[in-house]
Each structure stands twice: as structure tokens, then as C-alpha cells.
Amino acid sequence: MGSLHLPIQERSEQTEEIRGHVREFLRQEREAGTFVPKCDTWLSGFSPEFSRKLGERGWIGMTWPKRYGGHERSAIERYVVIEELLAAGAPVAGHWIADRQTGPLLLRYGTEQQRMSFLPRIARGECYFAIGLSEPNAGSDLAAVRTRAEKVEGGWIMNGSKTWTSGAHHAHYMITLCRTSPYHPENRHEGMSQLLVDLSSPGVTIRPILLMTGEHHFNEVFFEDVFVPDDMLIGQEGNGWKQGMTELAFERSGPERFLSTFPLLEELVNRLRQSGQKHLMAQAAKLVSRLWTLRHMSIGVAHLLEKGETPDVAAALVKEMGTTFEQQVAEVVRLLLPTSPSVDAADRLDQLLAQSILHAPGFTLRGGTTEILRGIIAKGVIAK
Amino acid sequence: MTDLTKMLVKSTTKIMKDICTKEFIDEAERGRWAAELWEVLSEAGMLTVAVPEELDGTGGTFAEAYEILRLAGKYAAPIPLAETYMGNWIMADLGLAATCEPLAILANEGEPFQFKKEGAGWSVTGKARSVPWGRHARLLLVLGETETGSVLALMSPTEAKVTTGQNLAGEPRDTMVLEAAPVADEHLFAVDARQVHSRLLSTGALCRSVMMAGALERIAELTVKYTTERSQFGRPLHRFQAIQHHLASLAGETAAANTAASYAVAASRRGPDEKAIAMAKIRINEAAGIVAPVAHQVHGAIGFTHEHVLHQCTRRVLAWRDEWGTETQWAEKLAEQLMLLEENGLWPYLSE
Ligand SMILES: Cc1cc2nc3c(=O)[nH]c(=O)nc-3n(C[C@H](O)[C@H](O)[C@H](O)COP(=O)(O)OP(=O)(O)OC[C@H]3O[C@@H](n4cnc5c(N)ncnc54)[C@H](O)[C@@H]3O)c2cc1C
């Protein structure tokens, strides 16, 4: 079970310097009132101004080559920046997917023209992407994807629909997993491709699907004879399944998998300290110990990714445990303090608690459900 | 890990694996002293790691000593290795030479041992409970009080009255009584008792943490292997989704325990880091409470038998989680630090 020994990565001056800059920036923004810290802001905190400010400071596309508008920083430096943003509950949803997934995907599989065209805009915080995987009949079982693109002169004609698409109503483009060859029940992973679809194209319709809170964060997206030019194919035709799976590795083990409810935990610690309740603080301390461990596991995975390894099992572990922890925070808070959670409560703790409880079901679904992840982990340890 | 540490891990693994068979551990549990293992470790210089050569130590780092302890935990080595390390490190701080004898530390916080002047020397009286491997100790470190302050005495156990006891894993946890036992003047050293207690607690918790991380890994390995060997309903157990979810939980808890232990060790490069150790002991204790029952569930009845090796590991993690601080005790210590944070100080505290 060697895969379960994650490397330990210690603080360096470089990372601590950049951490200091981000913290100072966040302090000023908070004081200026440009944002109020919230839970789960990488799904729900949309602010084009804020994204642009991060772009100006070089905090998007941090690891990418300079010729594509990147900053050639290390993965660990990027890690520090994003964990600071999430811990502060800052509004990062706009550029989140583009920075986390689309950029690395294009760097790996994109054409030079695609990189030149998209990466600098993403890094400036001006260009947003959506993930087009799920469909009405393809959830955990992504090989059931039916959206299809037929080859025509100079491009493809796409028909079908995607669902649960986070931020599609703000995004400029979607990386869409679709079938470019007919579906074969015995070869379900073949014949899929990734197409980069301009969401302002004729034939694209985006309709809101409201969360159970009534908020609008995800959508259904319909394609009716949408023309996608040839140069918008990502990687190889027919290689979409493999490429899509690589993409998932980038999205599993980051700090957004255990910090979605951090602002609530921080407020809990503030309250217990103010009221001098040391024995209740000991309950909070157990959560702190879990978080401390998760963070170090996640940094370990980031370190392996930086070295070019593909720690799929460890990444799945971090997500599985991290998202469960995010849910647990809300459960512990309500047992420690008397609260009246409500999304429009005047009290900060009540508001953060409501955000956490009502967003919690999504944590263990998005990016691969807990059940699917457990299967991946078990198969990984059996194979070793 | 440096190349040197890798070599150390390799040779320690070989020693532990070869000697610590199921039968060897069974015999130790029946009361036999594990002399063969102790001798081999002694000859390999593994009992005095992280003590400088000037003090008869092997040199090396604390991290290397904790790596050896992790493997001792993994293979359920039935010897007072952690206790001997702790004793040697305390002695090194006092400028005393290291020992290769099994060592026991007698420190009673509530009713300290009392030292009285007797002619040219001293006598000591008191009682310590749950002393690990007390009956096998050849050297005692006794912490106590004189009329003028706290002292630590180095002495032989010949005068000690031992009442045997054991923990959940059948490891010796004895009661040791000293009644006016003589101590030579040159074997008495002035210390700050509070400091020694706090250092013992942190170091003890870190030792148990790494030992538990090792044992948890072994439990996970045994369980994974068993699910590939045992079939029911015409297929190996690991093909059942419910079993896969158990395996995922074992893998997750084991990885968490290993990470927590490694960070606590890294933070304690120069001496025990109380914050990291608190975080680690809480988390690893929790992991033990999850892993042991799941491993037994997956093994079915065979894992509940004395014949199977599983219990040698599960009983150890269940015993060790209560030694040197439960989750509750360490969470209270951590809470003391959290009570001192500034407004919104949790994130800086966590990420420093
Ligand atoms: C907040 C949020 C944002 C999202 N954003 C996006 C997005 O931007 N783009 C996108 O493409 N998708 C997005 N999704 C969709 C997400 O990827 C899916 O919800 C997820 O893959 C599960 O699919 P499903 O909801 O259809 O559930 P199903 O797959 O139908 O699963 C239902 C239940 O059955 C279990 N189950 C299914 N198969 C198995 C199996 N083989 N073994 C054991 N249990 C199984 C599941 O674990 C789950 O508990 C988002 C979801 C959420 C909640």
C-alpha cells in the first residue's frame, strides 16, 4: 500500500512570501467591502471584477508558460494562493473551472492556436469555462453520454444536451464530451471526443436549474444543430474518454474539496473563544485536527502532481474524505451552539450555517460521488 | 526520505519481519522476554538512535528513530523500544551516556516519588502504575521531589516491587513500588519536573502515533490481502461493493494516519512540537477506532480467533490510542491554544 504514503511538503520562503501578498490583498478587499466571506464560493461566488483583479496580480494560470499569459510558478505556489482565497470565502467561481481544468487540459492536449487564443484571456480573469460532462441519462456512468457531433465540411454539427452545468450562464465556453462515432454498447468508451463549444453560438440554449435554496448556479444546456469549427476539437478525435478522465484528476484533490465550509468553522472558533467555552472548543479542536490532516494530504498530492505523477487513488481519497468533512463541520456547529440557521439571517454564524447545510448535499456528488470514489480507491488498493 | 533513511527502513523491516512472527509475539505475551530481537537491534545500534556518538549513541536524527518505531509498530515488536528511546533522549539532555538496556521511566504526576537524603546518598519512595515493560527493565529513570526541588534519578530496578499488569494487547503495564530504595548521589540530577512531564507526554504521544500509523498500515494490508483470498458466493470478497467501501475507508484512514504522523515527526525535528503532536494523536486515535472494527468485520470469524495474526495489530492500536492521551485529552490541550487566537486567527494558525 505504498500509494498511501504521501510525501510531506514543508513551507518554503517562496510560498510564504506569496501567501503574505494574497492575505494582504484579501484583507484590503474585505475592508473595502468588495466581498463578504461566504461558504462554497467556488460554486456560488461569482464576481467578474474580483476575477479580473486576481488576473492582474498574476494569480490565475499561475503555473502556465509565460508565452500563454501564465506566470511559470510552481504548483505549490498556486496551491497556496487558492487555499488562501477559499479559506477567506472569496468570490472565485467565475474563473475557477477555467483555471483549474481548462488551462491544464489545453496545455496537455490543445493545439498551439487554441492555447494562444484562450489561455491569455483565462489568465487575465476574463474568460470562463463550463464543464460539459453530465447529461440527463449520464450521471456517474459517463460512458452513457449521448450528445453527438456529426462531421460536416469545416467542422461538426452538435445535437444533444448537458445538465447540472455549473456557471454555464456566466461561462463563455464549454468543454463538451460528446460522441463523434455511433454508440456501441460493447465499446462504450470509444468514439467520444472533447469539443470546445462557444456558448454564444446559434443553437445553444441555457436554462437555469435552481438549487434547492432557489439560487441559480447550475443549468441545463441544449444544443440544436450547433456548428463547431474543426479547430475547436481538443486533442484527438475519439480520445475524449481518456482526456476527460485526465481532466478529472485535476479536479479531485485540491483545497476546494475540504474548505467549502471553512468560513463557518472559523466563525465557530471565533464565537467559542469570545464566550470562553473551552470545553466546547475541544470539540471544535477535533475538526481542526481532521482539517490539518486533510490539508497535508492534499498538499502531498499536489506535490506528486507537480512531479508529473498521477496519484489517482490518493486524489480520490482526499475528495472522498474532504467532502465528508465539509458536511461534518455543519453538523458539529449546530450541536455546539444554539443557532437559527437561515440564508437571510442577520447573524453571521446563522447565515454561514444555512449556506453550509443547504449546499452540503452537493459536496459529495459533484466531481464524482462518494460511492464512485470508494470504488476507485478500493480497486486501486487491490491492484497494488 | 534520504538514501540513508531508506536503507535504515529496509534493514529494520527485514529484522522486524524475520523475528516478529506470530509465535514470537504470542510467547512474549505469555511473559517471555524478547531477547533475540533486543540483541539484534542493540548490535545494529538501533536502540540509541538520535543520541550523539560522544554519549555512546548511534547518532542520526529523531526522524530516523521514529521511522524505526513506525516499523516496530507495524510488526508489533514486543519490546520497550519507545520507552528506551525516550529515556535515552532525556539522559542525553542531561549529558549522560546512552544505554542499550531495556529502560522504564517512573514518573507520577499526582503523587511524585519522594527522595530523602540518607548519609552520602539518597533513598526514594513512591509508586508508579502502568509502567510499560516494567518487569523487564534493567534500568530505571525515576522522576520525583526532594525537599529543595525536582530531581531525576538513574537507578537499577533491583529494589523495585513489581505487580504485573497488562494493556489490551497483553503488553506489560506493571505497577512498580519503591520503598526507601537507595540511590547514589552522583546518579541524581536536578530537573524542572513540569518540563520533564510535558516533554514525556509529547514524546510519548508522538511515539505511540507513529507506532499506530505503522500498525494501521499493517491492518489495512492484511485486510486487503484477505479480500483477494477469501471467496463467498463464487467470487472474491473484494468484488462486493460493500466490501470495497470498507477497503476505501481503511485506505483513507491509514493514509490520514500516516500523513499526520509524518508531519508531526517533521515538525519535531529539534524537539517535540506540541501542536503538531496534538493534531496527529487526535486524528490517529480516531483512525484506530474506525480501522479496527472494519478490519474485523471484513475478516469474518477467522480474524476473531487467537490463531490469526490480525488481533496482534488491532489490540495494539486499541490499547495505544488510550496511552499518552486520548482524543479528548489532546483536544483539550489544542483547545487551550485555540482559545488564544485572534479574531479569524484559525486559518493563520492552521497554515503556519
Ligand atoms: C453542485 C453540483 C455541481 C455540478 N456541476 C457540474 C458541472 O459543472 N458539469 C457537469 O457535467 N456535471 C456537474 N454536476 C453533476 C455531477 O457530476 C453528478 O451529479 C454526479 O456525477 C452524479 O451523477 P447523478 O447526479 O446523475 O447521480 P447518479 O449517477 O444517478 O447517482 C445516484 C446515486 O447512485 C449512486 N451510484 C451511481 N452509480 C453507482 C455505482 N456504480 N455504484 C454505487 N453507487 C452508484 C451515486 O453515488 C448516487 O448516490 C454537478 C453536480 C452538483 C451537485
Side-chain angles (χ1 to χ4, degrees), chain A residues 40 42-43 97 100-101 129-142 162-168 174-175 211 217-219 248 251-252 359 361-373 375 379, chain B residues 241 244-245:
Chain A
D40 199 18
W42 63 276
L43 177 78
I97 304 288
R100 179 183 72 185
Q101 261 163 272
F129 275 74
I131 305 171
L133 294 174
S134 305
E135 294 184 7
N137 291 313
S140 299
D141 182 15
L142 275 180
K162 292 289 171 184
T163 189
W164 322 127
T165 323
S166 302
M174 176 197 274
I175 306 282
L211 304 189
H217 296 308
F218 56 27
N219 305 272
L248 285 176
E251 72 152 298
R252 279 196 174 139
H359 278 226
F363 302 160
T364 47
L365 295 171
R366 59 186 176 192
T369 69
T370 295
E371 291 72 23
I372 294 296
L373 292 167
K379 284 178 191 129
Chain B
Q241 199 171 53
Q244 290 178 358
H245 286 201

Side-chain angles (χ1 to χ4, degrees), chain A residues 129-234:
Chain A
F129 275 74
I131 305 171
L133 294 174
S134 305
E135 294 184 7
N137 291 313
S140 299
D141 182 15
L142 275 180
V145 156
R146 289 298 174 92
T147 293
R148 62 185 196 284
E150 266 156 46
K151 193 73 194 84
V152 292
E153 178 71 31
W156 313 77
I157 293 290
M158 182 178 283
N159 277 287
S161 68
K162 292 289 171 184
T163 189
W164 322 127
T165 323
S166 302
H169 53 312
H170 298 305
H172 305 99
Y173 302 95
M174 176 197 274
I175 306 282
T176 313
L177 184 67
C178 61
R179 298 212 159 266
T180 44
S181 309
Y183 179 84
H184 274 299
E186 38 327 328
N187 260 334
R188 302 165 76 229
H189 296 166
E190 278 175 22
M192 288 201 229
S193 303
Q194 285 183 306
L195 290 182
L196 199 161
V197 180
D198 183 339
L199 292 175
S200 66
S201 309
V204 175
T205 312
I206 300 172
R207 280 200 216 128
I209 307 176
L210 301 184
L211 304 189
M212 63 188 199
T213 52
E215 295 165 282
H216 176 197
H217 296 308
F218 56 27
N219 305 272
E220 49 190 343
V221 181
F222 299 92
F223 307 101
E224 266 174 280
D225 293 331
V226 176
F227 178 72
V228 184
D230 271 336
D231 57 8
M232 290 295 118
L233 171 72
I234 296 173

Side-chain angles (χ1 to χ4, degrees), chain A residues 5 10 23 84 270 273, chain B residues 217 263 269 341 344 347 351:
Chain A
H5 281 269
E10 298 196 51
R23 253 179 220 178
E84 288 294 325
N270 284 340
R273 181 177 45 75
Chain B
E217 180 171 285
Y263 264 91
R269 193 174 292 124
L341 295 180
N344 295 332
W347 182 251
S351 55

Side-chain angles (χ1 to χ4, degrees), chain A residues 1-11 16 19 23 30 83-84 87 258-259 262 265-267 269-270 272-279 281-293 295-297 299-300 313 317 320-321 348 370-375 377-379 381-382, chain B residues 70 217 220-221 224 227-228 238 241 243-245 247-264 266-267 269 275-280 282-284 286-287 290 327-328 330-332 334-336 338-352:
Chain A
M1 300 244 265
S3 62
L4 303 183
H5 281 269
L6 292 165
I8 57 170
Q9 170 76 17
E10 298 196 51
R11 286 148 47 89
E16 294 321 294
R19 190 189 297 286
R23 253 179 220 178
R30 236 167 117 159
E83 72 169 355
E84 288 294 325
F258 52 88
L259 288 178
F262 182 78
L265 180 59
E266 179 130 84
E267 190 58 18
V269 169
N270 284 340
L272 293 174
R273 181 177 45 75
Q274 286 157 9
S275 53
Q277 290 171 287
K278 204 184 114 186
H279 59 291
M281 188 70 103
Q283 299 301 316
K286 291 184 185 171
L287 290 176
V288 172
S289 145
R290 293 206 140 223
L291 176 54
W292 180 87
T293 307
R295 176 171 177 266
H296 287 312
M297 292 173 77
I299 292 174
V313 176
L317 272 178
E320 194 257 341
M321 299 171 84
R348 219 179 112 59
T370 295
E371 291 72 23
I372 294 296
L373 292 167
R374 287 182 183 156
I377 297 161
K379 284 178 191 129
V381 296
I382 288 287
Chain B
R70 194 176 65 76
E217 180 171 285
E221 286 175 3
V224 167
T227 65
T228 63
H238 74 81
Q241 199 171 53
I243 296 292
Q244 290 178 358
H245 286 201
L247 293 182
S249 150
L250 292 185
E253 294 303 309
T254 306
N258 267 302
T259 302
S262 299
Y263 264 91
R269 193 174 292 124
K275 172 180 160 188
I277 292 168
M279 299 274 191
I282 295 171
R283 186 63 188 86
I284 296 170
E286 284 179 356
I290 297 169
E327 298 90 301
T328 307
W330 279 108
E332 276 166 9
L334 209 51
E336 277 168 28
L338 295 177
M339 293 304 283
L340 301 173
L341 295 180
E342 293 174 3
E343 184 78 358
N344 295 332
L346 180 60
W347 182 251
Y349 174 77
L350 254 173
S351 55
E352 76 188 359

Side-chain angles (χ1 to χ4, degrees), chain A residues 228-271:
Chain A
V228 184
D230 271 336
D231 57 8
M232 290 295 118
L233 171 72
I234 296 173
Q236 278 172 4
E237 184 189 334
N239 196 34
W241 177 260
K242 189 171 156 261
Q243 292 173 198
M245 292 303 109
T246 322
E247 195 185 335
L248 285 176
F250 299 121
E251 72 152 298
R252 279 196 174 139
S253 62
E256 71 270 39
R257 299 306 183 183
F258 52 88
L259 288 178
S260 300
T261 54
F262 182 78
L264 174 64
L265 180 59
E266 179 130 84
E267 190 58 18
L268 170 71
V269 169
N270 284 340
R271 294 290 168 96

